[in-house]
Structure formats: C-alpha cells, structure tokens
Amino acid sequence: MKFCDYFRHYAFFFLGYLFFVFLFFLFFWQLQVELSFLFLFLIVFLCFGIFCFFYFYFQRKFFYDSFFSLLDSLEQKYLISEMDVVPNFFEAKKMMEAIYEIDKSMKEHLNTLELKNNDFKDYIELWIHEVKIPLSNLMLLFHNREKNEGKIKEQLNRLDNFLEQVLFYVRSETVEKDYLIHSCNLKEIVHEVVQKNMDSFLLQHINLVVDVNGEVFTDEKWMVFILNQILSNSFKYRRKKEAHIRITSNESENQICLNIWDDGCGILESDLPRVFDKSFTGFHGRKLSSSTGMGLYIVKNLIDKLGHHIIIESKFQEYTMVTIIFSKTDFYQVVQ
C-alpha cells in the first residue's frame, strides 16, 4: 500500500482536521489567550493529528501488504478465506466477513453443480446400457427383417424414446427458454402420442380406449414427450396378456384432468411417495436392469415448470392411474 494512494484518499479528512484546529486557534486568539498557550495548543493538536494520520496508515499498510502478499503466494486464490488472516481494523474485519460469505456461497453453488454433473454422468451410464438392449434386438431382428418388420419398428421407437429422454433431461434445467404456452387441443396431442406408439400397441396386443376432449393451455411439444414417457412406463410394466390402457379426460369449472390408466403390475404403496424422485426405480424397477428411474423425475420437472400438476394413484398388481391437471385460470389468457 503506497503512501501517496493513502494520502490521496484521506487528504480531505486530514485537511479538514487542520482547518478546525486553525479555527480553534483563531477563537482563542480573539479571547486574548496567552500566546505561549496558543502555540502549545497548536503544536499538541498538530502532533496528535499527524500521529493519528500515520498510525492509521501503517495499520492499513501492514494488513493490506500481508493480505496481498499471501494472496500472491496462493495458487488457488479462492483459498484466501481459509487462511489465517487477522484484520486489525474495522474495515478490514468487514471486508474479511464479506469475502467469507462470498466464498461460502460460491462453494455451495459449485457443490450443487458438481452433484448435478455426477447425477448426469450416472444417468448417461445407465442410459447407454438401456439403449444397448434395443440395438441388440435390432441386430438380431435384421437377419429376418421381412417377418420382423413390426418388431423392428417397435425397437426403433424405443430408441427414439430413449434419445428424447436424454435430450429433455439435458434441457430440463433451462426448459423455460424453450417452451411456448398456448391453447392446444388435448385430443390432438393424445392422438399424436398414440400414433407414435401404435406399433407397440399392436405388437403387445394392448387394448386401448381413448376418450379425450377439451382445450388446454400448455406446450404441445413438451406434453407429447410427457405423455410418451407415461405410456412407455405402461408398456414396460404391463400385464403379459390382455393388457388394457385407457386415456380419458374430464372437465370441471376450474380444471381439465387427463387420466392415463393401465391394468399393469401397479406400484407398491410404500413406493408411491418416491416415484418422482431422481433415479428411484422402486420394487419393479429393481427387477429390470434397464430401469433408470429418470422418466418420471423428468416428467415431474417439466410438469411443474409448465404450471400443471401430476398425481399418481396405484394398487399393487391391479392398476396405475396417472392424472395430469390443467388449470383454467386468467393467468394463461394474459400470457397468451
């Protein structure tokens, strides 16, 4: 810390102090105080002012020189908050407290990013294993492709679903930059999802009933993905014979509910509160090596950001019903 910088910063206070000393000198002069006393008064206050000025200078110089010397010696500058730096004046103490809080906040942010990065690596590893299954099936089916055309289409559709899932997972943190809420025909959205999965319905002999109507405010692209993930779970955990899926809607004054019901293996009551947790596979998921437990987590994340609600009801070995609730509010009208 250079003296000229210190003097430039605090010169106003020092000169102000000298000015008030001079005023006191004139005041006592007018009172006809003895000249010797006045000069003594002047010398004492001048010495006191100069002492304080240089005392504060060396106090700050010692701290800042030590601080920046220590900072220069550190390869990782952010470790300065963990060093044994003892502030010797009020401003330095407040500065160190601010540095500590900033460092603490940054570490928490970095820890969050590191956890997300680790979660993403784990998910990608599971996802790669999951994608290998339809790829292997395709290689086997290709040798007799004329008879297995429908099965090949189904495996390609599975691959497409897996690719969509990892893409939406990557985008889920910034989904608000990529969606547009507008009035959508719910029947058309469901029809698009059913058409996309028609090969799976036919090959797995699943009885499908669709009775959907109504206009909802949502993003069509995101809803197609969400419904596709829900149907994918219905296919994965279906009954082996005579499986049924019903997609219906019901409308009230304040909301429209879309229900996806299946008579598959159901969910254990103890697993229900955790079905939307990241990487949670549950009782049935542990039996399937390909289950990542990410589908419903991504669905819940997107549903929340779209402003809708999702509820899952289930009875083990009997049925599962997923309900998506679209609110009718003036908010969507204003946004539109």
Side-chain angles (χ1 to χ4, degrees):
M1 180 176 169
K2 296 180 179 178
F3 179 78
C4 58
D5 295 331
Y6 174 79
F7 182 80
R8 193 182 303 117
H9 185 75
Y10 290 100
F12 174 79
F13 300 100
F14 184 66
L15 294 175
Y17 174 81
L18 293 179
F19 176 72
F20 280 106
V21 170
F22 180 70
L23 288 180
F24 274 106
F25 181 82
L26 290 179
F27 175 74
F28 287 114
W29 176 271
Q30 291 297 324
L31 293 177
Q32 297 182 349
V33 177
E34 289 186 13
L35 193 60
S36 58
F37 177 79
L38 288 178
F39 278 110
L40 180 63
F41 167 84
L42 185 62
I43 291 170
V44 169
F45 275 86
L46 282 177
C47 291
F48 177 76
I50 293 171
F51 171 79
C52 291
F53 186 77
F54 280 97
Y55 172 79
F56 290 127
Y57 165 69
F58 284 109
Q59 186 185 48
R60 283 155 177 74
K61 177 177 172 59
F62 174 78
F63 172 78
Y64 287 123
D65 287 351
S66 302
F67 179 83
F68 284 107
S69 176
L70 181 60
L71 186 64
D72 291 338
S73 66
L74 291 174
E75 207 170 305
Q76 308 295 335
K77 307 297 184 186
Y78 61 86
L79 294 175
I80 190 65
S81 63
E82 298 179 11
M83 297 294 102
D84 187 20
V85 180
V86 181
N88 56 358
F89 58 98
F90 180 75
E91 292 86 348
K93 182 179 179 182
K94 288 299 177 184
M95 184 189 77
M96 292 305 300
E97 288 176 358
I99 290 174
Y100 176 79
E101 290 299 325
I102 293 168
D103 182 67
K104 180 182 175 183
S105 176
M106 181 55 67
K107 285 178 180 176
E108 290 174 354
H109 180 64
L110 289 174
N111 286 337
T112 302
L113 292 177
E114 187 176 356
L115 287 173
K116 287 182 179 179
N117 186 46
N118 291 336
D119 286 343
F120 182 70
K121 287 179 181 177
D122 294 340
Y123 171 58
I124 289 296
E125 185 178 346
L126 290 169
W127 179 84
I128 289 170
H129 288 298
E130 197 167 356
V131 168
K132 282 182 180 179
I133 297 172
L135 279 175
S136 300
N137 291 339
L138 282 171
M139 292 175 68
L140 293 172
L141 294 169
F142 188 74
H143 293 293
N144 196 6
R145 55 185 178 275
E146 291 181 0
K147 291 183 179 179
N148 296 316
E149 183 178 350
K151 292 182 179 180
I152 290 174
K153 286 182 180 179
E154 183 189 23
Q155 296 304 316
L156 286 171
N157 189 46
R158 286 184 67 192
L159 279 174
D160 183 56
N161 287 341
F162 292 146
L163 289 169
E164 270 196 342
Q165 189 183 84
V166 74
L167 178 63
F168 276 69
Y169 177 72
V170 171
R171 291 179 175 178
S172 63
E173 296 300 321
T174 55
V175 62
E176 60 273 6
K177 298 179 182 178
D178 193 40
Y179 75 79
L180 176 64
I181 292 179
H182 62 284
S183 181
C184 301
N185 187 294
L186 196 54
K187 186 175 183 179
E188 291 178 1
I189 293 175
V190 172
H191 178 74
E192 183 178 345
V193 176
V194 169
Q195 285 296 114
K196 188 175 182 179
N197 292 277
M198 188 55 69
D199 292 319
S200 296
F201 282 111
L202 294 174
L203 287 169
Q204 297 174 18
H205 305 289
I206 296 174
N207 297 302
L208 174 66
V209 175
V210 178
D211 183 15
V212 176
N213 288 291
E215 293 284 328
V216 296
F217 284 93
T218 189
D219 181 277
E220 185 176 359
K221 179 177 67 173
W222 297 108
M223 282 310 303
V224 168
F225 169 78
I226 289 167
L227 296 179
N228 200 56
Q229 290 298 305
I230 295 170
L231 279 182
S232 177
N233 280 349
S234 295
F235 295 147
K236 188 185 295 184
Y237 302 113
R238 72 188 185 281
R239 288 187 178 186
K240 296 301 180 183
K241 294 181 180 179
E242 296 184 0
H244 295 79
I245 293 178
R246 291 201 303 265
I247 306 175
T248 60
S249 66
N250 55 281
E251 185 172 354
S252 65
E253 184 179 352
N254 298 318
Q255 62 189 27
I256 295 178
C257 296
L258 178 66
N259 310 299
I260 302 96
W261 179 94
D262 67 70
D263 59 352
C265 55
I267 304 170
L268 282 173
E269 186 177 354
S270 58
D271 287 345
L272 270 176
R274 300 180 60 195
V275 291
F276 295 121
D277 292 351
K278 184 184 288 188
S279 303
F280 179 73
T281 55
F283 175 79
H284 296 297
R286 287 188 287 272
K287 293 183 177 181
L288 297 174
S289 60
S290 64
S291 182
T292 63
M294 294 298 293
L296 287 179
Y297 166 76
I298 299 171
V299 164
K300 183 66 165 64
N301 197 5
L302 298 179
I303 284 286
D304 288 344
K305 292 189 176 182
L306 286 170
H308 309 320
H309 300 281
I310 185 169
I311 300 171
I312 294 184
E313 302 173 28
S314 185
K315 192 168 183 180
F316 189 63
Q317 300 294 355
E318 291 190 20
Y319 75 92
T320 298
M321 185 169 75
V322 180
T323 302
I324 300 174
I325 302 171
F326 303 89
S327 299
K328 293 181 179 179
T329 65
D330 294 335
F331 169 75
Y332 289 118
Q333 300 287 351
V334 172
V335 171
Q336 187 188 32

